[in-house]
Amino acid sequence: MLLKTSLRSFFAHKGRMALSLIAVVLSVAFVSGTLVFSNTATSTFDKLFAATASDISVQPPKPAEDEDRQSGDKPLTVPAAIADRVASVPGVKKAVGQVMVQDAALVDPATSKLVGPTSGAPTMVGNWTDTPRNALTITSGHAPQGAGELVLDADTAKKAKLGLGSRIRLDNAAGKHEFTIAGIATFTTTNPGAALAFLDTATAQQVLLGEQAFTSVEAFGDGSRGDDRLKADALAAIGGGYQVKTAAEQKAENSKSVGSGLDFMKYAMLGFAGVSLVVGGFLIINTFSMLVAQRTREIGLLRAVGGSRRQVNGSVLVEALILGVLGSTLGIGTGLGIAVGLVKLMNALGMGLKASDLQIGPDVFAAGYAVGILITVVAAWIPARRASRISPMAALRDHGTPAEARANVVRTVVGLLVTAGGAALLVLGARAEKAATGGQYLGLGVLLTLVGFVVLGPLLATAVIRVLGALLPALFGPSGRLAQRNAMRNPRRTGATAAALMIGLALVIASSVFSSSAVTSASAQIDRSVGVDYIIGGRTAITPEMVDAVRKTPGVDHVTTQKEFDAKVRLSDGRTKRTGVAAVPPAFFGTDFRFPVTSGAVDSIGRGSLGIGEDFAKEQQLKVGDSVTVDYGKGHTQVLPVGVVFAKGSLYGDTSFVDDATMAKAVPAADQPAARTFFAKASAGADVARTLTALEGALKEYPQLTIKDQAGYKELVQSQVNTLLYLIYGLVGLSITVAVLGVVNTLALSVVERTREIGLLRAIGISRRQLRRMIRLESVVIAVFGAVLGTGLGLAWGVTVQRVLRDQGLGTLSVPTTTIAVTLASSVVIGLVAALVPAFRAGRMNVLAAIATD
């Protein structure tokens, strides 16, 4: 009987459930689509690794934890003789030495453009080997057969419009190397998006490694022994020290590496899907609350004929269960479309995934149904509980419950306490000395203030809407007065509807404050600290030829390079702390950069001292005059006195500085890391813009370099921040869409609930136009109310984020007033759009039929 009643009730009100169903479908689709895409990408790479992994791979010894590898260091290698030893191991059918590096750039000399990806996936160059499990096969031309030949993968060749006989240049720390494309190789498995180029073994060793060695030795068994046995025998043959990994271990290692990047994307998308689920929960609560209110007499009759509270409660929850199952089913199907879209997006970025290989595992169905059913049943539980507590007589009289006033008092007290606690945590976070501590306060404060505002929504609705709607009667007459009173009539319903919109807009405002502060802080840092006119950097090591090309450009006064060490600083008490150390020439602090100082003198660096950051000095209890031992790695150490302590929030963070001449006394040139960035200063009186054009011309043959003046560098920072911001906007857009559906849903059900009232209004003379205006104004007031709350909450969050990160480069607070104004104006548009259908339906009602409605 319970099931039959629930089914009849559900299908009798199916039109009123439609928008709640859409909210569930959208949220579940986002979750299931993300999982399907993640599973597909992971499975694709797993297949690639399984299909190409050797049975055992001999790799260089793993660096010790205290061994320092510097940026730009040559790859670790395996002696060439190891390949012969591995080949002699019983059960090994073939062993090949492999060379593969990622520190080279491919350039088309005809166009001076990069060949291969410019961001994201790497450019990999190695030696061509013929193995039983090659990831590529030559489909045009032949394998490289001499020092001047190269094989390029087909996807990269197609994008760069290169073919057999085309000239191509390879740039690395050793210089420029010209080749002719002798072969085109096509992937036999998935293309991971990288650009791959191959040389013959001798040339690869000479050009890429500078020695007769390999980066690994790949061995393939004859099937007579298992991989574990081959691994043990190989270790016995080559001696200790080297890493030997089976096919399974290689696959696990590679999958873990790829999975870390995919997991970040996956959890970020699931996080925003969670926000939309919460927003959808408010929609569902409102739907069932209004349905329960509209069915008061029906519930009263059920109670009067013997229905228990448990049965009434169960009836509402069964309806929610039906909604959840149906919405989840449709959402999972829609999620497949989202997954296909994500696959196509990744393919456009260079990753070779196939939509036909979608991996729809049990976890997709489990997560989809769990999310959809859980959110609907939990959201409907509150209205169901409220319905079960209505007495038969109160229901038949269509009266409310006497406990409402007491519930409002409890809600107000709890809401105020939770909000106050959250606000206090935000203040503590803003005042915290350490960013990690402040971040913890911030996270908890955001959660509590959000919950507090949601709980206080009904209380705020009455007060805020009274203010927001004060001008409506004067501007729109009776329609405006009725709209204001309707919005205040049911504060709980208005608060829940506005809360859904508030959450999305709060995230938008907080993100905008963060991004605006980041851009403003970076610009202020550049203006305050940077004296050089041009910043030049690249994806590969900076070569002397590049520096000379800049130095010889007319209008350039001098060039400054920096070499960065991942060093360790040993204190007098024996403690050791890892830190970045930059070796710079005297001009770096003379004219190129200006950093605020808390103690000591900057020019002491040129006299053989060490410059350290304020945070590092406090953590390690160092002061000017203390001596420390700097370990540059590879056994090179140097005792230096602390000469200057730089203030917090400098452009280089907590990096320490040493003069390059001082560093050179301890570290031979061969062990110094290659520079990745260098700077140029325009001559006095030179036209900065014209000199920039000249620099771009001088470095035209090096497309792997980026040249920016100060204005261009600021634009680069802004574009990078904006990319993140737009991504957040796109993901938050789902929750805002669901929130708009919530406004539409509330208005639509409200029109149904007030059918008789609308008929009476029409009977006493209000026109259809005035009636539609009343609905639209009510919608606008609710939307603006949500936007006001979201703006206040977002500003509090955004300001706190800036204060927490004030010493990590976010030193200047910037409130994006334009974004706030656009957000508030958009809320008016949202209200108008949300009211279109409900207002149209209200205007078309038959007056007599509406009055006759019970």
Side-chain angles (χ1 to χ4, degrees):
M1 179 181 174
L2 176 62
L3 179 60
K4 185 180 296 185
T5 303
S6 300
L7 286 172
R8 284 180 178 175
S9 177
F10 180 86
F11 289 108
H13 303 97
K14 55 182 179 296
R16 306 178 192 183
M17 296 281 193
L19 293 178
S20 295
L21 179 67
I22 293 174
V24 176
V25 169
L26 289 176
S27 300
V28 172
F30 210 73
V31 171
S32 58
T34 300
L35 292 177
V36 170
F37 167 75
S38 176
N39 291 347
T40 301
T42 301
S43 173
T44 298
F45 281 104
D46 285 346
K47 292 177 182 177
L48 170 66
F49 300 143
T52 58
S54 59
D55 291 326
I56 58 170
S57 175
V58 180
Q59 301 174 6
K62 188 176 181 179
E65 290 186 5
D66 58 349
E67 183 178 341
D68 300 305
R69 295 282 301 162
Q70 306 299 338
S71 174
D73 277 358
K74 290 183 179 180
L76 296 174
T77 59
V78 174
I82 293 295
D84 295 330
R85 294 188 199 173
V86 174
S88 65
V89 171
V92 172
K93 183 178 181 180
K94 187 173 186 177
V96 295
Q98 185 177 75
V99 176
M100 188 60 68
V101 301
Q102 298 183 24
D103 61 351
L106 297 175
V107 179
D108 182 355
T111 61
S112 293
K113 292 183 178 180
L114 276 178
V115 176
T118 56
S119 62
T123 295
M124 305 175 70
V125 185
N127 65 323
W128 179 264
T129 57
D130 187 13
T131 72
R133 299 175 197 156
N134 270 5
L136 299 95
T137 182
I138 295 178
T139 52
S140 179
H142 57 81
Q145 297 174 352
E149 294 186 344
L150 175 146
V151 169
L152 188 65
D153 77 88
D155 293 329
T156 301
K158 181 179 180 180
K159 292 175 184 176
K161 298 180 180 179
L162 298 174
L164 296 179
S166 298
R167 299 292 292 172
I168 191 169
R169 195 179 80 228
L170 186 153
D171 291 1
N172 63 0
K176 297 184 291 185
H177 313 276
E178 296 276 351
F179 296 94
T180 299
I181 297 178
I184 301 294
T186 302
F187 279 90
T188 58
T189 57
T190 298
N191 177 0
L196 274 77
F198 302 92
L199 315 174
D200 70 281
T201 297
T203 305
Q205 290 174 326
Q206 178 184 353
V207 172
L208 304 177
L209 302 180
E211 59 178 321
Q212 298 297 310
F214 301 110
T215 52
S216 68
V217 174
E218 309 299 327
F220 302 86
D222 57 13
S224 62
R225 303 188 181 198
D227 291 353
D228 291 332
R229 176 69 183 277
L230 287 177
K231 174 180 177 178
D233 292 345
L235 283 170
I238 64 178
Y242 297 101
Q243 300 181 78
V244 180
K245 297 178 181 178
T246 64
E249 291 171 336
Q250 294 173 61
K251 178 185 173 183
E253 182 179 48
N254 291 329
S255 296
K256 182 179 179 181
S257 177
V258 172
S260 60
L262 292 175
D263 283 348
F264 174 79
M265 179 179 178
K266 170 183 171 182
Y267 291 126
M269 294 178 67
L270 289 177
F272 284 99
V275 173
S276 70
L277 283 170
V278 172
V279 172
F282 288 110
L283 193 160
I284 296 167
I285 289 174
N286 261 3
T287 299
F288 280 94
S289 294
M290 296 178 77
L291 288 177
V292 166
Q294 292 168 19
R295 290 158 49 193
T296 301
R297 289 185 180 274
E298 177 186 327
I299 294 171
L301 287 172
L302 283 174
R303 294 296 311 281
V305 297
S308 66
R309 287 186 175 183
R310 182 177 180 182
Q311 286 177 313
V312 171
N313 187 33
S315 175
V316 177
L317 291 180
V318 168
E319 290 183 48
L321 179 63
I322 296 170
L323 177 68
V325 171
L326 183 58
S328 298
T329 303
L330 296 175
I332 291 172
T334 307
L336 298 182
I338 292 177
V340 171
L342 290 172
V343 166
K344 291 183 177 179
L345 175 62
M346 291 298 103
N347 288 343
L349 298 176
M351 185 182 293
L353 301 178
K354 295 180 180 179
S356 58
D357 291 339
L358 291 182
Q359 299 296 309
I360 310 170
D363 61 323
V364 175
F365 292 97
Y369 281 109
V371 164
I373 293 173
L374 186 66
I375 192 66
T376 51
V377 172
V378 170
W381 179 80
I382 297 175
R385 184 167 173 268
R386 194 178 301 146
S388 68
R389 291 190 172 186
I390 298 175
S391 68
M393 296 308 297
L396 290 173
R397 289 195 303 268
D398 204 12
H399 291 163
T401 62
E404 186 71 23
R406 185 179 63 186
N408 285 338
V409 172
V410 174
R411 173 188 285 265
T412 301
V413 173
V414 172
L416 288 173
L417 289 175
V418 173
T419 304
L425 286 170
L426 291 180
V427 172
L428 289 174
R431 293 181 176 179
E433 287 291 326
K434 294 183 178 180
T437 304
Q440 293 173 350
Y441 286 133
L442 170 65
L444 190 54
V446 165
L447 178 62
L448 290 183
T449 50
L450 176 60
V451 172
F453 266 55
V454 170
V455 174
L456 285 175
L459 176 66
L460 295 172
T462 302
V464 176
I465 289 179
R466 192 182 303 278
V467 176
L468 292 176
L471 292 178
L472 294 183
L475 294 175
F476 301 102
S479 296
R481 185 178 301 279
L482 287 170
Q484 182 190 27
R485 290 181 176 178
N486 285 337
M488 295 166 55
R489 175 188 291 183
N490 193 323
R492 176 177 290 176
R493 180 186 305 165
T494 300
T497 305
L501 193 59
M502 172 191 74
I503 295 172
L505 295 182
L507 290 173
V508 168
I509 296 297
S511 302
S512 299
V513 172
F514 166 77
S515 63
S516 180
S517 298
V519 171
T520 303
S521 298
S523 297
Q525 280 275 27
I526 292 171
D527 293 336
R528 183 170 58 247
S529 304
V530 179
V532 293
D533 296 297
Y534 313 103
I535 302 167
I536 306 152
R539 300 182 69 190
T540 59
I542 303 300
T543 64
E545 291 81 7
M546 297 173 183
V547 177
D548 288 341
V550 173
R551 188 175 283 117
K552 294 175 182 178
T553 301
V556 171
D557 180 72
H558 67 268
V559 175
T560 300
T561 61
Q562 67 177 37
K563 296 181 178 179
E564 299 178 4
F565 291 86
D566 182 16
K568 293 193 291 287
V569 174
R570 191 178 307 118
L571 310 179
S572 58
D573 59 3
R575 289 181 295 123
T576 299
K577 176 69 175 178
R578 188 177 293 275
T579 185
V581 174
V584 296
F588 187 89
F589 290 111
T591 58
D592 295 345
F593 290 90
R594 304 174 294 273
F595 293 162
V597 173
T598 59
S599 61
V602 175
D603 58 6
S604 66
I605 295 177
R607 298 193 298 270
S609 294
L610 182 71
I612 61 176
E614 183 178 357
D615 284 336
F616 186 80
K618 286 184 177 180
E619 289 174 4
Q620 308 307 319
Q621 299 178 347
L622 292 172
K623 62 182 184 299
V624 172
D626 292 344
S627 292
V628 297
T629 300
V630 179
D631 185 347
Y632 297 102
K634 301 178 182 178
H636 306 302
T637 61
Q638 192 174 43
V639 178
L640 298 174
V642 175
V644 60
V645 176
F646 295 107
K648 293 180 180 180
S650 71
L651 191 64
Y652 274 71
D654 221 25
T655 299
S656 299
F657 292 92
V658 65
D659 188 80
D660 57 0
T662 302
M663 176 273 299
K665 295 177 182 178
V667 185
D671 289 342
Q672 294 178 15
R676 295 276 174 171
T677 305
F678 64 109
F679 314 95
K681 177 77 173 175
S683 303
D687 187 301
V688 175
R690 186 173 298 174
T691 303
L692 175 62
T693 303
L695 274 174
E696 291 172 341
L699 295 175
K700 184 179 179 181
E701 63 176 318
Y702 302 107
Q704 64 268 41
L705 296 180
T706 57
I707 309 114
K708 300 289 183 182
D709 59 7
Q710 290 193 21
Y713 194 75
K714 291 177 183 178
E715 291 175 0
L716 177 64
V717 171
Q718 183 165 6
S719 68
Q720 292 172 340
V721 173
N722 285 345
T723 299
L724 175 63
L725 182 64
Y726 296 149
L727 175 63
I728 293 174
Y729 283 174
L731 294 173
V732 172
L734 176 65
S735 64
I736 293 178
T737 300
V738 175
V740 173
L741 291 178
V743 179
V744 176
N745 186 66
T746 298
L747 291 173
L749 292 179
S750 178
V751 167
V752 174
E753 186 179 69
R754 302 192 324 240
T755 298
R756 188 177 185 186
E757 174 187 321
I758 290 172
L760 290 171
L761 287 172
R762 294 278 286 115
I764 62 175
I766 192 170
S767 67
R768 289 184 176 181
R769 183 179 179 184
Q770 288 175 312
L771 183 62
R772 287 195 292 266
R773 180 184 295 165
M774 178 190 75
I775 302 294
R776 287 196 296 268
L777 290 176
E778 181 181 351
S779 176
V780 168
V781 168
I782 293 173
V784 172
F785 170 54
V788 169
L789 294 187
T791 299
L793 206 54
L795 283 173
W797 295 350
V799 170
T800 306
V801 169
Q802 184 272 325
R803 295 304 301 162
V804 169
L805 299 176
R806 62 188 179 277
D807 294 330
Q808 274 65 47
L810 222 68
T812 305
L813 173 65
S814 176
V815 177
T817 53
T818 302
T819 301
I820 293 174
V822 169
T823 299
L824 294 174
S826 297
S827 68
V828 176
V829 176
I830 288 173
L832 291 173
V833 171
L836 286 177
V837 175
F840 179 74
R841 290 184 61 187
R844 293 188 64 187
M845 280 187 183
N846 181 281
V847 177
L848 294 178
I851 294 174
T853 301
D854 187 6

